Amino acid sequence: MTVRLLYLGAEEAHVRADLRKKKLTSRSSMMGRTTLVISLIVAALLSAIAAQRTACKTGDIVFLLDRSSSIDQDKHNIMKNFTTTLVDSFEVGEKLVRIGLCQFSDNPKDEFYLNKYYNKEDLNTQILKVDYTGGNSYLGRALDHVKDYFEESRGSRDQVPKNLVVITDGDSHDDVEDAADVLRDRKIKVFAIGVGDVHDLQLLQTVGTPERMFTVRNYDVLHSIKQKVVDAMCDNPNSPPPPPATDSP
């Protein structure tokens, strides 16, 4: 009887030890899966951040500013200052981000091409110097004209993102859709910033997607959307998607 009790006690101890081992193995496996999921998420986030930094640090950006009569001199100055804050958000350089500038009213006015200035100080000095004329707003004509800024002879490059940023506060007197389609066919992303009571449909025709359209009620709050504009411009559509969600075991 004593021997049998000893045998049963030893067997029970063995079973308990085996259960503890299985629990430890299961816990270790669970921790391993959790660690793997966390590692995948961190890797995806780091990859997305790296992709965004790359998109922010290289590219050809042209600003197209409205200088028609719907904008007075003071508002035009605010627009120019806002443009310089956008320029300050990018890594400007000959092999990094290049900046060009064009204005428009009745006709487009070339200010400088992408191969003119390669540092922020010179760029911002020239942006603040551009003049105001008044006149009517012909955005379609300006979009058709500004596509030539993205030619190699004007300093544009093949293997970098190409962005056009339009800032306007009035409805165009001409059609914008055809000219905007040509820009998109050339892989040029168009972003539009509308100030005041602007024609949303016309802006949407200009950019092609609402994610690239921004509106503010007046020039005094233009600065409030700066980061949104920069983030949209820095977005890299080729960045990897986040890993799929994994159910807990």
Side-chain angles (χ1 to χ4, degrees):
M1 182 67 176
T2 302
V3 173
R4 179 172 176 78
L5 288 174
L6 289 174
Y7 173 77
L8 291 174
E11 185 176 13
E12 182 179 357
H14 178 74
V15 170
R16 288 178 178 177
D18 188 51
L19 288 173
R20 283 197 299 269
K21 183 177 179 181
K22 287 182 178 179
K23 286 181 180 180
L24 289 172
T25 301
S26 176
R27 186 178 300 171
S28 176
S29 177
M30 184 187 303
M31 291 178 64
R33 287 194 294 272
T34 302
T35 302
L36 176 60
V37 171
I38 293 173
S39 298
L40 289 172
I41 293 173
V42 170
L45 289 173
L46 291 175
S47 178
I49 291 171
Q52 186 181 60
R53 287 175 178 169
T54 300
C56 284
K57 290 185 175 181
T58 182
D60 296 336
I61 302 174
V62 176
F63 292 95
L64 181 59
L65 308 185
D66 188 342
R67 62 174 184 176
S68 64
S69 295
S70 59
I71 302 170
D72 60 28
Q73 184 69 64
D74 290 339
K75 293 175 181 177
H76 189 250
N77 288 337
I78 293 173
M79 183 191 298
K80 291 190 295 184
N81 278 286
F82 175 72
T83 303
T84 65
T85 66
L86 290 177
V87 170
D88 286 336
S89 301
F90 298 96
E91 294 291 334
V92 173
E94 184 175 3
K95 295 183 178 180
L96 301 170
V97 174
R98 298 184 182 184
I99 304 290
L101 179 66
C102 181
Q103 295 199 98
F104 74 97
S105 55
D106 292 285
N107 293 293
K109 169 66 166 60
D110 296 329
E111 300 296 350
F112 54 84
Y113 298 125
L114 292 161
N115 53 5
K116 182 65 174 179
Y117 303 108
Y118 296 129
N119 67 77
K120 293 180 182 180
E121 183 177 356
D122 289 342
L123 280 167
N124 288 338
T125 297
Q126 293 304 313
I127 291 170
L128 295 175
K129 282 182 178 179
V130 300
D131 60 351
Y132 166 78
T133 59
N136 295 310
S137 176
Y138 283 86
L139 178 56
R141 185 180 298 168
L143 292 173
D144 180 63
H145 174 84
V146 82
K147 68 180 185 296
D148 293 336
Y149 272 62
F150 295 94
E151 296 291 340
E152 184 178 355
S153 61
R154 305 286 172 86
S156 190
R157 297 159 289 175
D158 286 336
Q159 303 301 320
V160 301
K162 296 174 177 59
N163 296 321
L164 174 65
V165 182
V166 179
I167 307 179
T168 181
D169 77 343
D171 295 340
S172 180
H173 285 66
D174 60 352
D175 178 73
V176 302
E177 191 169 13
D178 289 344
D181 286 342
V182 171
L183 289 168
R184 287 192 289 273
D185 288 344
R186 296 188 179 192
K187 309 302 181 185
I188 299 167
K189 287 185 179 180
V190 184
F191 299 83
I193 300 171
V195 185
D197 187 19
V198 294
H199 191 179
D200 287 350
L201 177 59
Q202 201 168 69
L203 285 184
L204 185 58
Q205 290 173 334
T206 301
V207 300
T209 175
E211 287 76 19
R212 297 179 195 149
M213 185 177 77
F214 307 88
T215 57
V216 292
R217 65 180 181 274
N218 57 54
Y219 282 91
D220 292 333
V221 294
L222 191 57
H223 66 278
S224 66
I225 62 167
K226 188 205 82 168
Q227 195 56 51
K228 290 181 179 179
V229 175
V230 172
D231 289 344
M233 294 175 66
C234 287
D235 180 46
N236 189 335
N238 297 318
S239 58
T246 302
D247 295 332
S248 299

PDB file of all heavy atoms in Angstrom, residues 12-13 16 34 48 81 92 120 141 144-145 156 164 182 206 225-226 228 246:
ATOM      1  N   GLU A  12       1.830  11.878  -9.818  1.00  0.00           N
ATOM      2  CA  GLU A  12       1.145  13.168  -9.750  1.00  0.00           C
ATOM      3  C   GLU A  12       2.148  14.319  -9.868  1.00  0.00           C
ATOM      4  O   GLU A  12       1.904  15.315 -10.556  1.00  0.00           O
ATOM      5  CB  GLU A  12       0.392  13.276  -8.416  1.00  0.00           C
ATOM      6  CG  GLU A  12      -0.405  14.575  -8.288  1.00  0.00           C
ATOM      7  CD  GLU A  12      -1.157  14.626  -6.976  1.00  0.00           C
ATOM      8  OE1 GLU A  12      -1.105  13.647  -6.211  1.00  0.00           O
ATOM      9  OE2 GLU A  12      -1.789  15.681  -6.717  1.00  0.00           O
ATOM     10  N   ALA A  13       3.277  14.168  -9.216  1.00  0.00           N
ATOM     11  CA  ALA A  13       4.315  15.197  -9.298  1.00  0.00           C
ATOM     12  C   ALA A  13       4.822  15.333 -10.729  1.00  0.00           C
ATOM     13  O   ALA A  13       5.084  16.452 -11.208  1.00  0.00           O
ATOM     14  CB  ALA A  13       5.465  14.857  -8.348  1.00  0.00           C
ATOM     15  N   ARG A  16       2.190  17.212 -12.721  1.00  0.00           N
ATOM     16  CA  ARG A  16       2.225  18.637 -12.400  1.00  0.00           C
ATOM     17  C   ARG A  16       3.412  19.332 -13.076  1.00  0.00           C
ATOM     18  O   ARG A  16       3.300  20.444 -13.596  1.00  0.00           O
ATOM     19  CB  ARG A  16       2.290  18.836 -10.887  1.00  0.00           C
ATOM     20  CG  ARG A  16       0.977  18.502 -10.171  1.00  0.00           C
ATOM     21  CD  ARG A  16       1.135  18.686  -8.674  1.00  0.00           C
ATOM     22  NE  ARG A  16      -0.116  18.424  -7.984  1.00  0.00           N
ATOM     23  CZ  ARG A  16      -0.230  18.453  -6.658  1.00  0.00           C
ATOM     24  NH1 ARG A  16       0.847  18.714  -5.897  1.00  0.00           N
ATOM     25  NH2 ARG A  16      -1.403  18.213  -6.109  1.00  0.00           N
ATOM     26  N   THR A  34       3.741  37.886 -29.684  1.00  0.00           N
ATOM     27  CA  THR A  34       3.514  39.296 -29.371  1.00  0.00           C
ATOM     28  C   THR A  34       4.716  40.137 -29.765  1.00  0.00           C
ATOM     29  O   THR A  34       4.576  41.216 -30.353  1.00  0.00           O
ATOM     30  CB  THR A  34       3.228  39.469 -27.872  1.00  0.00           C
ATOM     31  OG1 THR A  34       2.092  38.689 -27.512  1.00  0.00           O
ATOM     32  CG2 THR A  34       2.964  40.939 -27.541  1.00  0.00           C
ATOM     33  N   ALA A  48       7.792  53.803 -42.866  1.00  0.00           N
ATOM     34  CA  ALA A  48       6.929  54.897 -43.330  1.00  0.00           C
ATOM     35  C   ALA A  48       7.552  56.250 -43.044  1.00  0.00           C
ATOM     36  O   ALA A  48       7.502  57.159 -43.868  1.00  0.00           O
ATOM     37  CB  ALA A  48       5.558  54.786 -42.653  1.00  0.00           C
ATOM     38  N   ASN A  81       4.531  85.526 -47.736  1.00  0.00           N
ATOM     39  CA  ASN A  81       5.134  85.075 -46.472  1.00  0.00           C
ATOM     40  C   ASN A  81       4.772  83.628 -46.179  1.00  0.00           C
ATOM     41  O   ASN A  81       5.606  82.846 -45.701  1.00  0.00           O
ATOM     42  CB  ASN A  81       4.696  85.985 -45.323  1.00  0.00           C
ATOM     43  CG  ASN A  81       5.522  87.251 -45.230  1.00  0.00           C
ATOM     44  OD1 ASN A  81       6.665  87.222 -44.798  1.00  0.00           O
ATOM     45  ND2 ASN A  81       4.943  88.367 -45.652  1.00  0.00           N
ATOM     46  N   VAL A  92      16.102  72.138 -49.017  1.00  0.00           N
ATOM     47  CA  VAL A  92      16.357  72.753 -50.315  1.00  0.00           C
ATOM     48  C   VAL A  92      17.811  72.559 -50.726  1.00  0.00           C
ATOM     49  O   VAL A  92      18.724  72.697 -49.917  1.00  0.00           O
ATOM     50  CB  VAL A  92      16.018  74.259 -50.267  1.00  0.00           C
ATOM     51  CG1 VAL A  92      16.441  74.962 -51.555  1.00  0.00           C
ATOM     52  CG2 VAL A  92      14.525  74.455 -50.024  1.00  0.00           C
ATOM     53  N   LYS A 120      17.657  78.306 -49.252  1.00  0.00           N
ATOM     54  CA  LYS A 120      16.417  78.907 -48.768  1.00  0.00           C
ATOM     55  C   LYS A 120      16.504  80.430 -48.676  1.00  0.00           C
ATOM     56  O   LYS A 120      15.528  81.129 -48.947  1.00  0.00           O
ATOM     57  CB  LYS A 120      16.058  78.323 -47.397  1.00  0.00           C
ATOM     58  CG  LYS A 120      15.688  76.859 -47.426  1.00  0.00           C
ATOM     59  CD  LYS A 120      15.359  76.358 -46.025  1.00  0.00           C
ATOM     60  CE  LYS A 120      15.036  74.876 -46.039  1.00  0.00           C
ATOM     61  NZ  LYS A 120      14.715  74.360 -44.692  1.00  0.00           N
ATOM     62  N   ARG A 141      -5.224  79.057 -68.020  1.00  0.00           N
ATOM     63  CA  ARG A 141      -4.112  79.520 -68.842  1.00  0.00           C
ATOM     64  C   ARG A 141      -2.785  79.361 -68.093  1.00  0.00           C
ATOM     65  O   ARG A 141      -1.766  78.975 -68.668  1.00  0.00           O
ATOM     66  CB  ARG A 141      -4.346  80.986 -69.220  1.00  0.00           C
ATOM     67  CG  ARG A 141      -3.344  81.589 -70.177  1.00  0.00           C
ATOM     68  CD  ARG A 141      -3.705  83.037 -70.451  1.00  0.00           C
ATOM     69  NE  ARG A 141      -5.025  83.143 -71.090  1.00  0.00           N
ATOM     70  CZ  ARG A 141      -5.689  84.295 -71.224  1.00  0.00           C
ATOM     71  NH1 ARG A 141      -5.172  85.422 -70.754  1.00  0.00           N
ATOM     72  NH2 ARG A 141      -6.869  84.306 -71.829  1.00  0.00           N
ATOM     73  N   ASP A 144      -1.707  75.644 -67.895  1.00  0.00           N
ATOM     74  CA  ASP A 144      -1.147  75.219 -69.169  1.00  0.00           C
ATOM     75  C   ASP A 144       0.284  75.733 -69.341  1.00  0.00           C
ATOM     76  O   ASP A 144       1.149  75.032 -69.845  1.00  0.00           O
ATOM     77  CB  ASP A 144      -2.029  75.729 -70.305  1.00  0.00           C
ATOM     78  CG  ASP A 144      -1.505  75.309 -71.669  1.00  0.00           C
ATOM     79  OD1 ASP A 144      -1.460  74.082 -71.930  1.00  0.00           O
ATOM     80  OD2 ASP A 144      -1.133  76.193 -72.471  1.00  0.00           O
ATOM     81  N   HIS A 145       0.514  76.945 -68.869  1.00  0.00           N
ATOM     82  CA  HIS A 145       1.844  77.545 -68.995  1.00  0.00           C
ATOM     83  C   HIS A 145       2.856  76.899 -68.049  1.00  0.00           C
ATOM     84  O   HIS A 145       3.996  76.621 -68.437  1.00  0.00           O
ATOM     85  CB  HIS A 145       1.749  79.048 -68.707  1.00  0.00           C
ATOM     86  CG  HIS A 145       3.062  79.744 -68.666  1.00  0.00           C
ATOM     87  ND1 HIS A 145       3.707  80.199 -69.802  1.00  0.00           N
ATOM     88  CD2 HIS A 145       3.884  80.068 -67.616  1.00  0.00           C
ATOM     89  CE1 HIS A 145       4.847  80.773 -69.471  1.00  0.00           C
ATOM     90  NE2 HIS A 145       4.979  80.707 -68.151  1.00  0.00           N
ATOM     91  N   SER A 156      13.988  70.706 -63.987  1.00  0.00           N
ATOM     92  CA  SER A 156      13.266  69.565 -63.432  1.00  0.00           C
ATOM     93  C   SER A 156      14.035  68.271 -63.671  1.00  0.00           C
ATOM     94  O   SER A 156      14.840  68.175 -64.609  1.00  0.00           O
ATOM     95  CB  SER A 156      11.870  69.465 -64.049  1.00  0.00           C
ATOM     96  OG  SER A 156      11.083  68.510 -63.358  1.00  0.00           O
ATOM     97  N   LEU A 164       3.031  70.746 -57.830  1.00  0.00           N
ATOM     98  CA  LEU A 164       2.625  72.113 -58.117  1.00  0.00           C
ATOM     99  C   LEU A 164       1.665  72.557 -57.026  1.00  0.00           C
ATOM    100  O   LEU A 164       0.689  71.863 -56.726  1.00  0.00           O
ATOM    101  CB  LEU A 164       1.935  72.195 -59.484  1.00  0.00           C
ATOM    102  CG  LEU A 164       1.324  73.553 -59.852  1.00  0.00           C
ATOM    103  CD1 LEU A 164       2.400  74.611 -60.007  1.00  0.00           C
ATOM    104  CD2 LEU A 164       0.489  73.433 -61.125  1.00  0.00           C
ATOM    105  N   VAL A 182      -3.635  67.456 -68.131  1.00  0.00           N
ATOM    106  CA  VAL A 182      -2.323  67.346 -68.773  1.00  0.00           C
ATOM    107  C   VAL A 182      -1.231  67.237 -67.716  1.00  0.00           C
ATOM    108  O   VAL A 182      -0.299  66.428 -67.832  1.00  0.00           O
ATOM    109  CB  VAL A 182      -2.062  68.551 -69.700  1.00  0.00           C
ATOM    110  CG1 VAL A 182      -0.611  68.546 -70.203  1.00  0.00           C
ATOM    111  CG2 VAL A 182      -3.022  68.533 -70.881  1.00  0.00           C
ATOM    112  N   THR A 206      -8.950  71.061 -60.469  1.00  0.00           N
ATOM    113  CA  THR A 206      -7.528  71.402 -60.564  1.00  0.00           C
ATOM    114  C   THR A 206      -6.649  70.328 -59.953  1.00  0.00           C
ATOM    115  O   THR A 206      -5.624  69.951 -60.526  1.00  0.00           O
ATOM    116  CB  THR A 206      -7.261  72.750 -59.861  1.00  0.00           C
ATOM    117  OG1 THR A 206      -8.061  73.768 -60.468  1.00  0.00           O
ATOM    118  CG2 THR A 206      -5.791  73.134 -59.954  1.00  0.00           C
ATOM    119  N   ILE A 225      -2.951  76.077 -41.828  1.00  0.00           N
ATOM    120  CA  ILE A 225      -2.972  74.834 -42.610  1.00  0.00           C
ATOM    121  C   ILE A 225      -1.590  74.453 -43.130  1.00  0.00           C
ATOM    122  O   ILE A 225      -1.466  73.490 -43.880  1.00  0.00           O
ATOM    123  CB  ILE A 225      -3.952  74.938 -43.796  1.00  0.00           C
ATOM    124  CG1 ILE A 225      -3.517  76.046 -44.768  1.00  0.00           C
ATOM    125  CG2 ILE A 225      -5.375  75.143 -43.314  1.00  0.00           C
ATOM    126  CD1 ILE A 225      -4.239  76.007 -46.094  1.00  0.00           C
ATOM    127  N   LYS A 226      -0.574  75.211 -42.730  1.00  0.00           N
ATOM    128  CA  LYS A 226       0.766  74.950 -43.279  1.00  0.00           C
ATOM    129  C   LYS A 226       1.194  73.496 -43.096  1.00  0.00           C
ATOM    130  O   LYS A 226       1.622  72.839 -44.039  1.00  0.00           O
ATOM    131  CB  LYS A 226       1.802  75.867 -42.627  1.00  0.00           C
ATOM    132  CG  LYS A 226       3.174  75.790 -43.298  1.00  0.00           C
ATOM    133  CD  LYS A 226       4.309  76.167 -42.375  1.00  0.00           C
ATOM    134  CE  LYS A 226       4.711  74.998 -41.502  1.00  0.00           C
ATOM    135  NZ  LYS A 226       5.988  75.212 -40.777  1.00  0.00           N
ATOM    136  N   LYS A 228      -0.572  70.819 -42.526  1.00  0.00           N
ATOM    137  CA  LYS A 228      -1.402  69.894 -43.305  1.00  0.00           C
ATOM    138  C   LYS A 228      -0.939  69.835 -44.752  1.00  0.00           C
ATOM    139  O   LYS A 228      -0.880  68.757 -45.366  1.00  0.00           O
ATOM    140  CB  LYS A 228      -2.878  70.317 -43.249  1.00  0.00           C
ATOM    141  CG  LYS A 228      -3.546  70.127 -41.900  1.00  0.00           C
ATOM    142  CD  LYS A 228      -5.001  70.540 -41.962  1.00  0.00           C
ATOM    143  CE  LYS A 228      -5.688  70.346 -40.629  1.00  0.00           C
ATOM    144  NZ  LYS A 228      -7.117  70.762 -40.671  1.00  0.00           N
ATOM    145  N   THR A 246      -3.171  40.874 -35.962  1.00  0.00           N
ATOM    146  CA  THR A 246      -3.057  39.460 -35.586  1.00  0.00           C
ATOM    147  C   THR A 246      -3.908  39.204 -34.362  1.00  0.00           C
ATOM    148  O   THR A 246      -3.813  39.925 -33.365  1.00  0.00           O
ATOM    149  CB  THR A 246      -1.582  39.119 -35.269  1.00  0.00           C
ATOM    150  OG1 THR A 246      -0.796  39.410 -36.425  1.00  0.00           O
ATOM    151  CG2 THR A 246      -1.444  37.651 -34.909  1.00  0.00           C
TER     152      THR A 246
END
